[in-house]
Amino acid sequence: MNRTLLVLGAGGHGRVVADAALVMGFERVAFLDDRVVTVQADLFPVLGPLDALESTKDEWPAAIAAVGDNRVRLALFHRLLQAGFETPSVLHPSAVVSRNAVIAQGVFAAAGVVVNIGARIGDAAILNTGATIDHDCAIEAGAHISPGAHLAGNVTVEQCAWVGIGSALKNGVRIGAGAIIGAGSAVVRDVPADITVAGSPARALAKRMDDSGHC
């Protein structure tokens, strides 16, 4: 394993990733962040803004995208690939990951995560503190499973969807791309793409708009 790691994003999530990387065995960890002047980096240096990425590759050949926005994180992950960086996953040593699960590149699994047999975790996904992913789930690229969320078997969470803190997802449901599951929700049926749902049972709140203002 390369012993250095560059973390893109020095916010709260980035700091959690950096801390886990040290516990995992990385010896040197640093950030790139556009808030290079104002960010509080604690133990880890901020080398510069994200535009400095390509110039850091010789000294920091391995990097992980660690920003909370799912689409931005996935875009940064692809930028790392295009620039030729190694894109390791950071799995906290207390995470329990089946040897018969598939973990792609750039994944973060926080402390207390459980990933069971047959699960497939896509590029740049976040499995946050204490989340459980049961057998044969599919978590697609850029998705975020928040702290304390629990997914029963055969759940699919499509690209860049967000499963809120403390949510529970019934076996076999599918969460569409870009959908948001509100905190503490109980999801018992499929959720279409780009919909926000919340409650127990979860119900649609609104159709999300894209950047152009169109649904």
Side-chain angles (χ1 to χ4, degrees), residues 138-141 143-145 151 155-163 169 173-177:
I139 311 302
E140 295 186 359
H144 184 166
I145 312 301
L151 280 58
V155 168
T156 298
V157 179
E158 294 183 358
Q159 183 168 304
C160 292
W162 195 311
V163 176
L169 277 59
V173 299
R174 176 179 289 269
I175 309 302

Side-chain angles (χ1 to χ4, degrees), residues 4-7 18 21-22 26-31 43-45 60:
T4 66
L5 185 68
L6 188 63
V7 179
L22 287 183
F26 286 95
E27 295 174 355
R28 296 173 62 219
V29 178
F31 290 123
L43 301 174
F44 310 102
W60 300 85

Side-chain angles (χ1 to χ4, degrees), residues 62 128 214:
N128 225 320
H214 296 97

Side-chain angles (χ1 to χ4, degrees), residues 60-157:
W60 300 85
I64 185 170
V67 298
D69 185 293
N70 289 345
R71 289 184 170 89
V72 172
R73 185 176 66 259
L74 188 57
L76 286 172
F77 169 79
H78 287 301
R79 182 176 167 186
L80 288 171
L81 290 183
Q82 291 167 2
F85 282 83
E86 299 172 34
T87 52
S89 291
V90 173
L91 311 179
H92 192 281
S94 70
V96 179
V97 179
S98 168
R99 66 182 63 189
N100 295 302
V102 176
I103 308 294
Q105 299 181 80
V107 171
F108 175 62
V113 162
V114 176
V115 180
N116 280 332
I117 186 171
R120 302 179 305 284
I121 313 300
D123 293 331
I126 296 172
L127 310 179
N128 225 320
T129 310
T132 61
I133 314 298
D134 214 333
H135 65 86
D136 303 305
C137 287
I139 311 302
E140 295 186 359
H144 184 166
I145 312 301
S146 294
H150 300 297
L151 280 58
N154 292 290
V155 168
T156 298
V157 179

